[in-house]
Amino acid sequence: MSRPVQVAPSLLAADFVALADSVREVEEAGADLLHLDVMDGQFVPNISFGPVVVEAVKRVARLPLDVHLMIDDPIRYVDAFADAGAEFLTVHVEACPDVAATLEAIRSRRVRPGITLRPRTPFADVEPFLAAVDLVLVMTVEPGFGGQAYLPDQEPKLSRARELRSDSGLDYHIEVDGGIGAETGPRAVGAGADILVTGSALFGSRDISGLIRGFHALGGAAAR
Ligand code: DX5
Ligand code: ZN
């Protein structure tokens, strides 16, 4: 069954001096979620921002916040990001000493849990947790930096996520993150994605609303 395609701009590619303007711009252009990339300099080599910035975005945002935690042992920060206003809180399977407990901690705060994995991690590693999540995020770049090239060899994970969803009757979103733009978005949707994270391609575009409209139309096309 095909679903509407949703678009989640990654604020990592926005202008941090004028974050509120970027939020307003993508909201007016028709985005569905705001994707926030939290990096700790340990799980990934880069450092981005933490709960303080998420909370600041929450104050100006109308859209739900989709928070992607690229941090070691993320259970330590579930309360902080729940308090900051996350709607989705996605953790890396490789980063959690106890994945099930981490997802339960997120759910217990009435935040929607997501699970994700690095490109080199097999999809089988997340399969035991699919019943416990509202979102599965397939990384199509190595986590840590925006602006990298899309890895098409990750598409089988999108297809597997979709296959398992229809076989099992589970109802998680399938999100794709990394190198998504006008050319790669259709490929990812064809493989199984229904939420497109897009950073540098979106914020670098001269026609943000046109790009988002094009992504939304993929859902309609796929549904026919
Ligand atoms: C990478 C982040 C992505 C990144 C996407 O670690 O998870 O969300 O910002 O940026 P683009 O769309 O530029 O690949
Ligand atoms: Zn991300």
Side-chain angles (χ1 to χ4, degrees):
M1 189 187 70
S2 294
R3 306 182 165 214
V5 168
Q6 296 190 296
V7 181
S10 167
L11 296 184
L12 200 58
D15 178 359
F16 274 61
V17 174
L19 212 41
D21 294 340
S22 296
V23 167
R24 198 171 311 116
E25 183 178 25
V26 297
E27 288 188 338
E28 284 172 4
D32 302 282
L33 296 163
L34 298 172
H35 186 84
L36 292 111
D37 289 299
V38 176
M39 305 178 183
D40 66 352
Q42 296 289 328
F43 181 71
V44 290
N46 199 5
I47 298 177
S48 58
F49 53 78
V52 170
V53 170
V54 175
E55 194 274 329
V57 170
K58 179 69 186 170
R59 271 187 274 131
V60 296
R62 282 182 282 135
L63 293 175
L65 306 189
D66 169 33
V67 179
H68 175 191
L69 295 183
M70 286 162 274
I71 66 177
D72 275 333
D73 202 2
I75 198 168
R76 298 174 295 153
Y77 292 97
V78 167
D79 282 333
F81 287 102
D83 290 343
E87 167 91 8
F88 289 95
L89 203 48
T90 296
V91 296
H92 272 265
V93 68
E94 309 89 351
C96 300
D98 186 336
V99 179
T102 307
L103 299 173
E104 278 163 29
I106 296 169
R107 184 79 73 189
S108 76
R109 287 298 317 263
R110 298 180 183 277
V111 177
R112 306 180 70 185
I115 188 93
T116 186
L117 69 174
R118 293 179 181 281
R120 75 176 81 98
T121 302
F123 194 76
D125 287 15
V126 304
E127 288 183 12
F129 308 107
L130 294 180
V133 299
D134 287 355
L135 181 147
V136 176
L137 170 57
V138 173
M139 292 301 300
T140 43
V141 295
E142 190 59 41
F145 299 92
Q148 303 179 77
Y150 178 80
L151 298 171
D153 65 355
Q154 299 301 302
E155 288 170 359
K157 292 179 181 172
L158 293 167
S159 304
R160 179 76 178 142
R162 183 162 63 180
E163 178 185 72
L164 288 172
R165 184 172 68 187
S166 56
D167 289 356
S168 63
L170 294 172
D171 195 28
Y172 47 80
H173 295 281
I174 303 172
E175 182 176 58
V176 64
D177 184 7
I180 295 295
E183 279 87 51
T184 51
R187 291 189 59 142
V189 170
D194 43 50
I195 302 178
L196 300 174
V197 175
T198 169
S200 43
L202 186 93
F203 284 100
S205 167
R206 293 231 220 112
D207 182 11
I208 291 182
S209 56
L211 190 60
I212 293 177
R213 249 195 326 275
F215 288 144
H216 283 156
L218 297 170
R224 275 197 288 274

